[in-house]
Amino acid sequence: RTRDHELVVFHDHNLLRMCQVDRELSDFTLRELRSLRLKGSDESIPTLAEVLSLVHGQVPLLIEIKTASDVMAIARSVDALLRQYSGPYMIESFDARALLWFRMHHRQVRRGQLAYGIPRNGPYPRTLLNRLLSTLLTDILSRPDFIAFDVRTSSAISLRFLRLFRPWMVAWTVKTQKEIDDHRKDFDLFIFESFPAR
């Protein structure tokens, strides 16, 4: 969310990787963000309303709500936009509070808990929040409809335990056909990026 509370579609909290500006996105107003360009292209960061208008129900959407201090307010704003949208969508987040908001206020929306294991030499720091996420203890609050787990940490004990209950399991982020083949028995769906067309 921008400094003036506009919802935008952007992966990172910081603008450095995509816009070559080493500042937080939330420091900028929407008008200020409009002056930045993505990876040297002519494109700028779109608002969620613009993306919804562009997609216009043609394909299903999986919308991730990023963790933030005001994540409940963001969830409320996202929901307000989506209630005017006629296409199919689901919500996912690492932050159980966002999923809890939808559970309390718009229960019909399918919710997914993003999670990962924390191997000793893995990609994630061993913070308290990451430990809670990796053991899926936050699910007590969020009661997700599906679990979306990092395919790189799919051997985590918490995930092996979850498979006993057979929730709807989704793997992220898959980048090769081999990863799909290796994990086809473990997951129901795959979220992919940079995937080469056959």
Side-chain angles (χ1 to χ4, degrees):
R1 197 158 74 152
T2 64
R3 196 173 80 224
D4 52 344
H5 306 297
E6 295 289 338
L7 294 171
V8 294
V9 177
F10 196 72
H11 181 275
D12 304 347
H13 290 285
N14 188 283
L15 294 164
L16 183 61
R17 182 175 66 94
M18 293 301 295
C19 300
Q20 293 74 54
V21 176
D22 193 8
R23 286 179 60 193
E24 298 293 297
L25 183 146
S26 57
D27 292 341
F28 289 76
T29 64
L30 180 60
R31 183 174 181 179
E32 291 166 339
L33 280 180
R34 296 285 194 200
S35 68
L36 304 178
R37 293 293 171 263
L38 296 169
K39 288 282 190 181
S41 71
D42 292 332
E43 302 295 331
S44 61
I45 297 170
T47 65
L48 178 57
E50 289 168 343
V51 170
L52 294 177
S53 176
L54 177 68
V55 175
H56 197 61
Q58 298 173 88
V59 294
L61 293 175
L62 180 57
I63 299 171
E64 179 184 346
I65 298 178
K66 295 290 184 176
T67 296
S69 58
D70 58 346
V71 71
M72 298 287 256
I74 292 172
R76 183 172 58 248
S77 298
V78 168
D79 184 57
L81 271 179
L82 289 173
R83 283 180 186 265
Q84 303 169 42
Y85 180 69
S86 59
Y89 65 88
M90 294 188 294
I91 296 293
E92 68 177 5
S93 185
F94 281 108
D95 197 317
R97 295 171 299 170
L99 305 182
L100 176 62
W101 189 95
F102 276 91
R103 181 182 167 216
M104 292 169 54
H105 299 284
H106 199 167
R107 206 178 187 94
Q108 301 91 324
V109 174
R110 296 285 185 182
R111 306 173 308 278
Q113 178 69 59
L114 284 159
Y116 44 75
I118 310 180
R120 290 186 188 279
N121 300 314
Y124 304 108
R126 301 180 77 79
T127 63
L128 176 60
L129 175 61
N130 283 348
R131 285 179 185 276
L132 288 172
L133 286 169
S134 71
T135 55
L136 299 165
L137 290 177
T138 56
D139 291 359
I140 295 168
L141 292 176
S142 60
R143 302 281 176 89
D145 297 297
F146 64 94
I147 307 294
F149 214 87
D150 183 347
V151 74
R152 295 174 298 172
T153 59
S154 60
S155 61
I157 292 171
S158 55
L159 186 61
R160 278 183 266 166
F161 177 73
L162 260 182
R163 287 185 184 125
L164 297 175
F165 299 96
R166 290 305 302 160
W168 199 29
M169 302 298 295
V170 181
W172 63 270
T173 300
V174 174
K175 297 186 178 182
T176 67
Q177 184 64 47
K178 183 178 186 316
E179 283 183 317
I180 289 180
D181 295 340
D182 289 349
H183 297 284
R184 197 177 296 278
K185 67 182 183 306
D186 301 321
F187 294 97
D188 302 303
L189 291 173
F190 295 92
I191 297 172
F192 58 88
E193 73 175 39
S194 309
F195 203 88
R198 286 183 185 236

